[in-house]
Amino acid sequence: MKTLLQNFRIVDASIDAIGAVILHDEIIRDVWVKGEAIRYDIGRMGIDRVIDGGGLTLMPAFIDMHAHFRDPGFPEKETLESASLAALAGGYTTVICMANTKPVIDTFEAAQALKHRSNALRLIDLYPALALTRSMAGTELASGFSALDLIRTSALKDIALGFSWPGPRYVRLCSEDGKDVADDALFKEALVRAAALRLPVSCHCDAGGHEALQAWEAGQPYSIWSRIEENVATERAIRLGREAGAHVHIAHVSTKEALARIRAAKARGESVSCEVTPHHLCLTESDAASLGSESYGRVNPPLRNEEDRQALIAGLVDGSIDAIATDHAPHTSGDKEHGSPGFSGLETSFAACFTELVGKGHLSLSRLSALMSVAPARLLRLFDRGAIEPGLLADLVVVDTEAVWHVDTALFRSRGKNSAFSGRALSGKTLMTLHAGSVVFDRGFGAKL
Ligand SMILES: [Zn+2]
C-alpha cells in the first residue's frame, strides 16, 4: 500500500520544511520538501491513501528509553495494552519497559515472552529491559548474564542489522531500574557481561553510600540527602562503567552536580550517556509540595530546585544530555496516596517538553525531535528509525503545534492517572500516530480527512 502524506511541516533532527512523504507499506519510500523538484508523477504512482496535513507537523514517532508498564504483575496499575495505547496517544511507537515487574524480567526467555505478547497486540514496538540481578535481589547475576547464556546468544548473528550482534534482538538495554546494585563487585561483573553483549546499562543512581547515610543520620532533609545520594551514585556508576568497559546510561538525571559529573566523564571521552524526564525539566520541589510531597508529588529522583531545572535545560542546549525519557510510572490513586513514587508520563511528555523547551525558546522543534527520537534510537542501536528518511520505518506522529489543551487524566489511555501535569494547560498536541505505516492512533484527525 502506498500512502502520501502531503501539506505537512516535516520536522526531524535535520529537516524543518513544508513537504510531503510517501510510504510504501511499513517503510518511508521518499521525502521531499518545498523547493525540491517532485520526483514522481503522483497520479501515476498508484497512491492508495492520501493524508493531507493542512499545515500540521509531521515528526518521527518518539522513542522512550524508560517506562514502567507494570506487566506482568500489576494490572491494577497498568497492562501491556493500556500502556501501549498511552504510548501511542503520546506519539511513542518504540518503548523500553523496565524489568521491575512480577516476576522480574531477568532472563532472555522472559524478555522474549513479553516481546511476543506485545507484538501480538500490534500496537507498539516494545523492548523489555533485562534486569542485572536475579529477581532484582542484588545477590547474584540474572541468568541472561551467565557464561552459558553468553555463549548461546553469541551464536545469534543478527544479519538484519548488518553486523554481528552478540545478544538477542529483543533486548536493547539492561537495567536494575528502581534501585542500584548495591554491591560494587556484582555491579561491575554485570557491567562486564553487558559490555560483552554490547548492551548499554541504564543506571538508576540512588546508592549514595556512607555520604548520603551520614546526611540522613544528621537529620538533613530529604532534598539534601537524596541529592547527595544521586551525585555519589552517578559518580560510582560512571567509575564502575569505566572499569568494566561498559556503556553506562544515567537514567533521569536531576541534579546540577550529577550532570556536571556526566559532562566531565564525556569530556574525558568515556562511554556515558544520560536522559532527563519531562517532569524534571518542567517542575520543581514547589510543584511537588503543592501536589503533596509524600503522595501525588512524589517521584524518584525527587523534583529538585529551580537552579537544577535550569541546569538540565542548559544540558539539553549544550548537548550534555542525550535524550528525553518519560520514566512513565503508573500507579493507582491508593498507591499514590500511600507514597508510591512516579508519574504517568507517556501522554503528556511531548506537550510538556514542547511547552517548556520550544515554547520558551530554549530549543528548536528539530532539536526536541532529536532528543525524543533519533538520539534514543542510536543509543539503543535501532538504526532503522528515529528520522524521516527514505528506507526507514514509517513510525510517524502528526502534531498540532498551535493547539493548547488542558490535561484531563480521566481521558488518559493509561490506567495510571497520576500525572504531575494534571489540570495544566499545555501547548502542542499529538493527533495521529503511525507505526510501520499503519495508523495506530487517531484523535479524530483522520475523521476530518
Ligand atoms: Zn524508572
Side-chain angles (χ1 to χ4, degrees):
M1 172 151 116
K2 290 204 182 83
T3 303
L4 169 66
L5 295 116
Q6 64 180 13
N7 295 324
F8 278 99
R9 175 188 173 197
I10 299 172
V11 179
D12 72 3
S14 52
I15 310 171
D16 186 344
I18 301 296
V21 176
I22 285 185
L23 316 181
H24 191 175
D25 297 333
E26 73 276 18
I27 300 294
I28 297 171
R29 163 88 176 266
D30 207 355
V31 181
W32 66 87
V33 291
K34 212 171 177 181
E36 275 187 322
I38 293 180
R39 290 183 285 272
Y40 296 102
D41 177 345
I42 290 166
R44 289 168 55 192
M45 273 197 71
I47 297 289
D48 303 290
R49 174 176 60 170
V50 176
I51 299 177
D52 193 299
L56 291 168
T57 300
L58 185 70
M59 299 173 74
F62 310 127
I63 297 174
D64 193 3
M65 296 185 71
H66 189 153
H68 296 267
F69 274 19
R70 310 296 190 207
D71 191 340
F74 305 94
E76 70 285 6
K77 294 178 193 275
E78 194 78 290
T79 64
L80 267 189
E81 186 168 11
S82 63
S84 303
L85 292 170
L88 294 176
Y92 288 90
T93 53
T94 304
V95 180
I96 303 286
C97 64
M98 291 297 146
N100 57 346
T101 49
K102 199 164 70 182
V104 166
I105 305 302
D106 58 1
T107 63
F108 287 131
E109 288 73 17
Q112 188 174 29
L114 189 58
K115 174 75 175 156
H116 284 169
R117 277 182 55 214
S118 175
N119 286 352
L121 295 173
R122 304 175 71 85
L123 293 170
I124 66 164
D125 202 7
L126 182 77
Y127 293 91
L130 186 70
L132 299 176
T133 69
R134 194 182 297 268
S135 303
M136 284 187 164
T139 51
E140 56 180 314
L141 290 183
S143 74
F145 291 117
S146 72
L148 192 67
D149 272 302
L150 285 188
I151 294 162
R152 188 163 54 83
T153 54
S154 64
L156 303 174
K157 307 285 184 196
D158 196 332
I159 293 152
L161 284 170
F163 55 84
S164 171
W165 174 258
R169 290 187 69 178
Y170 47 85
V171 175
R172 297 281 163 171
L173 185 81
C174 308
S175 183
E176 199 86 336
D177 188 76
K179 57 187 170 185
D180 280 317
V181 178
D183 182 84
D184 273 11
L186 191 68
F187 189 16
K188 193 169 157 184
E189 182 62 17
L191 287 161
V192 167
R193 301 293 177 98
L197 286 166
R198 288 192 228 155
L199 289 169
V201 178
S202 175
C203 300
H204 190 77
C205 295
D206 69 348
H210 70 275
E211 283 183 60
L213 189 65
Q214 266 179 346
W216 180 75
E217 282 173 351
Q220 296 275 12
Y222 179 55
S223 60
I224 300 293
W225 65 257
S226 72
R227 162 184 292 278
I228 297 171
E229 200 171 56
E230 179 174 340
N231 298 343
V232 169
T234 301
E235 185 82 52
R236 170 182 180 252
I238 292 170
R239 174 174 55 82
L240 292 174
R242 177 175 63 234
E243 290 172 10
H247 181 94
V248 161
H249 176 81
I250 306 296
H252 39 53
V253 56
S254 75
T255 71
K256 61 182 193 299
E257 298 88 1
L259 178 58
R261 284 162 168 79
I262 294 162
R263 195 179 273 127
K266 287 183 163 194
R268 294 192 298 267
E270 293 175 25
S271 188
V272 174
S273 57
C274 69
E275 73 193 26
V276 66
T277 70
H279 46 270
H280 289 110
L281 287 167
C282 298
L283 306 171
T284 64
E285 55 199 359
S286 65
D287 298 297
S290 44
L291 286 161
S293 295
E294 296 303 315
S295 57
Y296 288 93
R298 187 157 177 240
V299 65
N300 276 339
L303 298 176
R304 305 291 187 185
N305 60 42
E306 181 61 16
E307 218 178 306
D308 293 302
R309 194 179 77 81
Q310 291 298 338
L312 296 178
I313 294 172
L316 292 178
V317 172
D318 73 14
S320 307
I321 298 175
D322 299 85
I324 293 173
T326 66
D327 197 9
H328 175 74
H331 288 293
T332 64
S333 34
D335 290 341
K336 279 310 282 179
E337 275 152 27
H338 289 102
S340 291
F343 303 127
S344 183
L346 283 164
E347 289 167 85
T348 50
S349 175
F350 171 74
C353 293
F354 181 79
T355 304
E356 186 62 34
L357 303 172
V358 181
K360 295 186 181 172
H362 298 294
L363 300 181
S364 66
L365 188 56
S366 270
R367 177 80 183 118
L368 181 61
S369 171
L371 290 160
M372 295 183 71
S373 297
V374 79
R378 286 181 183 157
L379 288 168
L380 298 165
R381 292 174 178 246
L382 292 166
F383 299 115
D384 61 346
R385 65 196 75 183
I388 302 185
E389 282 171 24
L392 295 190
L393 200 58
D395 278 16
L396 302 164
V397 58
V398 175
V399 302
D400 182 352
T401 57
E402 304 294 316
V404 177
W405 57 289
H406 286 83
V407 179
D408 179 358
T409 57
L411 302 176
F412 275 12
R413 273 74 178 169
S414 170
R415 290 190 180 180
K417 311 299 180 192
N418 49 313
S419 170
F421 298 101
S422 184
R424 283 178 189 253
L426 298 177
S427 332
K429 192 163 194 175
T430 50
L431 297 184
M432 178 187 267
T433 306
L434 291 94
H435 174 41
S438 298
V439 175
V440 277
F441 171 76
D442 184 359
R443 214 182 282 280
F445 167 62
K448 291 186 225 139
L449 296 175

